[in-house]
Amino acid sequence: MKKILLALIVITLALWGAPKEKKMQLLSPAFENGGFIPAKYTCDGADISIPLIFKNVPAEAKSIAIVMDDPDAPMGVFVHWVIYDIPADLEGLPEGIPNEPVLEYGIKQGINDFRRIGYGGPCPPNGAHRYFIKAYALDRVLNAEPGLTKHQLLQLIQPFVIDNAVLMGIYER
């Protein structure tokens, strides 16, 4: 009986002490989560894409998709960036991704609400706005055509998302 009790205690402690799976993270060297986005990445600056870092991407992930939007826009959610088929083994994206439909490594970009391919930086008409950059780890490469809208991308990836992460920045003109 003592051996069984001891075995149960050891098993219980092993389970409680087992390292928990780390959640995927999305970071930027340009600003902290909840911090202010530097003007360089907005319509008031160079309007170049924000550098991103991916952490704890699940080992089974094959690609990453990203959507950046502004839920505080006067006419409703405004989409600033749609990018997908990012290889899951990339550690992130550098600043200044070209606004081209197809990039290195087969990365594709969609259409933002400026009606352009690629990144369009924060450009609020007034006041402080929140900008959410959402990364989705997918269990496959989509191999979709470039030019998807946010809505099209989110519908397409829904069954393939295995983890996600959010980075939020604020910009005020």
Side-chain angles (χ1 to χ4, degrees), residues 98-122:
N99 287 341
E100 297 173 5
V102 181
L103 303 167
E104 190 175 12
Y105 308 113
I107 297 170
K108 311 222 183 44
Q109 296 194 89
I111 297 175
N112 59 42
D113 282 347
F114 294 109
R115 297 192 177 135
R116 296 189 305 254
I117 290 281
Y119 179 87

Side-chain angles (χ1 to χ4, degrees), residues 147-159:
L148 295 179
T149 64
K150 171 190 167 181
H151 179 72
Q152 290 169 327
L153 177 67
L154 293 180
Q155 277 192 315
L156 185 61
I157 68 172
Q158 188 175 11

